Amino acid sequence: MPEVTFEGNTYVCSEEETVLECLHRHDVSIASSCLNGICQSCIMQSGDGHLPEKAQSGLKDSWRSLGYFLACQCRPTDSLQVARVDSAETKFRATLTRIEPLSSTVIGVWMRPELRFDYRPGQFVNFVREGNLIRSYSIASVPALQDELEFHVALMPEGKMSGWLHDNARAGDSLDLQGPLGSCFYVPGKSEQALLLVGTGTGLAPLYGIVRDALEAGHTGPIHLLHGALEVRGLYLVDVLRQLALEHDNFTYTPCALRTAEEQAIEYGDISELTFNHHPQLKGWRAYLCGHPDTIKPLQKKCFLAGVSMSDILVDVFLPAQ
Ligand SMILES: Cc1cc2nc3c(=O)[nH]c(=O)nc-3n(C[C@H](O)[C@H](O)[C@H](O)COP(=O)(O)OP(=O)(O)OC[C@H]3O[C@@H](n4cnc5c(N)ncnc54)[C@H](O)[C@@H]3O)c2cc1C
């Protein structure tokens, strides 16, 4: 059985166990969140031994060459010496500048990073509190339009991060961030390509960044954003997006709610059905799908079946922390 040596102690890794599972089983505290290799919060460094390819998937080349790997994705075949990564390498500080309600359950959070921070709207960062509390949030801001980073955070019942942001955080508070991460963003170059953006809940956050980034870049192809919520009151930025649609002939915005209520200009029903009622054929389109896994994963498949090529389906699945 491979062994994992960490801070002077050696642990035997059971069959099929990841480095993270092995360390957690031995009560070693290692930060982690999504456990799916997406959030990169469990990044560690290996000094020797063979790292399985999956353990370094999605990491920057410079990090791979330093032996960085994702502990949640690493099922070792060799014994490994592992260490925490120097936090200065992966984290930077940001100061909260504004927190405002966007709806009864969603707040807008704005912050200013202390160092220059290059990102693409639609990527995400990890918010880090008290060392090991790590949650991912998508970037809704567009650097060409605003200096501050913007996030949309839904309040979860007893949510450790969202609850703190809703109830306790104040302008002037500081937070550690990790990132930017993810590849769900607008790629300039095919300005005539039709774009479909579908999101549920705060899945709107990355899409709001991506739509404005595309329009700012002079995208000329049609852009259709469908935003879904369970009820009308779960929708937010409705007026802002309607105004954006008035200003841009190629941009269409469709707010959708699952449960019926009498309100004009909201479509009612399942967002997936509504999407494909509008667009039964999507050959040549690029699709951006963001939000809860239960909605987004089936949509991804349906987009493919409707003709979108796999490389043109960009997905941000909001997996809850494990
Ligand atoms: C790539 C990525 C991007 C994300 N972007 C955003 C974003 O832009 N905005 C945003 O609001 N969130 C986003 N999330 C989700 C976010 O990271 C947190 O999971 C979420 O804010 C809950 O964290 P919490 O600490 O408040 O709640 P926790 O303390 O983790 O959970 C509290 C309770 O809520 C439950 N819960 C957690 N998440 C959900 C859920 N989605 N549905 C139902 N129950 C849930 C938990 O099971 C638990 O019982 C993203 C996630 C990922 C992976």
Side-chain angles (χ1 to χ4, degrees):
M1 293 274 193
E3 291 177 338
V4 174
T5 302
F6 175 72
E7 294 184 343
N9 295 311
T10 297
Y11 309 101
V12 177
C13 223
S14 315
E15 207 169 330
E16 289 301 301
E17 199 173 39
T18 64
V19 169
L20 187 70
E21 286 163 348
C22 173
L23 293 174
H24 281 176
R25 184 164 56 81
H26 290 92
D27 291 330
V28 180
S29 169
I30 300 290
S32 65
S33 185
C34 77
L35 303 191
N36 271 270
I38 297 171
C39 75
Q40 300 190 4
S41 58
C42 61
I43 194 162
M44 298 190 82
Q45 189 171 21
S46 163
D48 64 351
H50 169 75
L51 286 169
E53 192 171 334
K54 194 177 174 199
Q56 294 189 300
S57 172
L59 295 184
K60 294 194 265 193
D61 287 346
S62 57
W63 285 6
R64 294 164 75 101
S65 65
L66 288 169
Y68 288 10
F69 69 99
L70 301 176
C72 78
Q73 297 299 299
C74 183
R75 294 182 205 285
T77 47
D78 277 358
S79 289
L80 298 174
Q81 298 256 5
V82 303
R84 294 182 204 275
V85 168
D86 177 9
S87 65
E89 277 278 330
T90 57
K91 287 186 200 144
F92 59 96
R93 210 124 178 96
T95 304
L96 293 170
T97 51
R98 215 159 29 110
I99 300 178
E100 285 172 11
L102 296 173
S103 74
S104 57
T105 52
V106 177
I107 50 169
V109 175
W110 287 263
M111 51 179 98
R112 196 179 289 278
E114 285 179 5
L115 299 173
R116 182 190 149 134
F117 176 59
D118 293 323
Y119 69 93
R120 301 300 308 270
Q123 287 190 286
F124 67 93
V125 294
N126 293 329
F127 290 14
V128 185
R129 276 191 62 227
E130 293 161 0
N132 276 0
L133 179 63
I134 302 183
R135 300 287 186 266
S136 307
Y137 293 98
S138 304
I139 311 177
S141 44
V142 178
L145 301 175
Q146 59 204 106
D147 291 337
E148 295 170 324
L149 299 175
E150 175 179 334
F151 303 94
H152 305 159
V153 178
L155 177 62
M156 287 296 150
E158 310 204 1
K160 292 187 189 72
M161 186 66 81
S162 62
W164 174 75
L165 287 163
H166 274 80
D167 300 337
N168 305 101
R170 298 281 173 269
D173 289 350
S174 293
L175 203 69
D176 281 330
L177 302 185
Q178 292 176 322
L181 299 162
S183 50
C184 185
F185 52 78
Y186 177 71
V187 186
K190 288 188 185 170
S191 62
E192 287 162 21
Q193 187 175 26
L195 307 182
L196 172 72
L197 302 97
V198 187
T200 51
T202 46
L204 180 62
L207 302 180
Y208 184 57
I210 293 164
V211 162
R212 293 182 305 142
D213 193 27
L215 293 171
E216 183 64 18
H219 196 88
T220 52
I223 304 175
H224 190 176
L225 166 67
L226 294 102
H227 180 214
L230 286 177
E231 293 166 3
V232 174
R233 67 189 178 89
L235 296 167
Y236 63 94
L237 292 178
V238 175
D239 293 341
V240 173
L241 288 162
R242 283 186 176 146
Q243 181 58 33
L244 201 63
L246 288 177
E247 290 165 12
H248 297 273
D249 289 344
N250 62 332
F251 174 52
T252 310
Y253 162 60
T254 307
C256 317
L258 186 60
R259 295 188 192 128
T260 52
E262 289 307 315
E263 184 161 335
Q264 278 189 343
I266 304 273
E267 293 195 8
Y268 293 102
D270 174 70
I271 187 146
S272 178
E273 279 176 26
L274 295 174
T275 300
F276 294 98
N277 288 347
H278 281 276
H279 303 288
Q281 290 298 324
L282 288 167
K283 194 169 163 47
W285 285 61
R286 193 187 311 161
Y288 295 90
L289 313 172
C290 302
H292 198 278
D294 291 352
T295 314
I296 297 311
K297 290 202 167 162
L299 260 175
Q300 186 175 11
K301 193 170 166 195
K302 286 184 183 168
C303 280
F304 176 70
L305 295 175
V308 188
S309 73
M310 274 315 266
S311 59
D312 270 330
I313 304 178
L314 299 158
V315 174
D316 228 347
V317 181
F318 287 10
L319 290 172
Q322 305 295 312

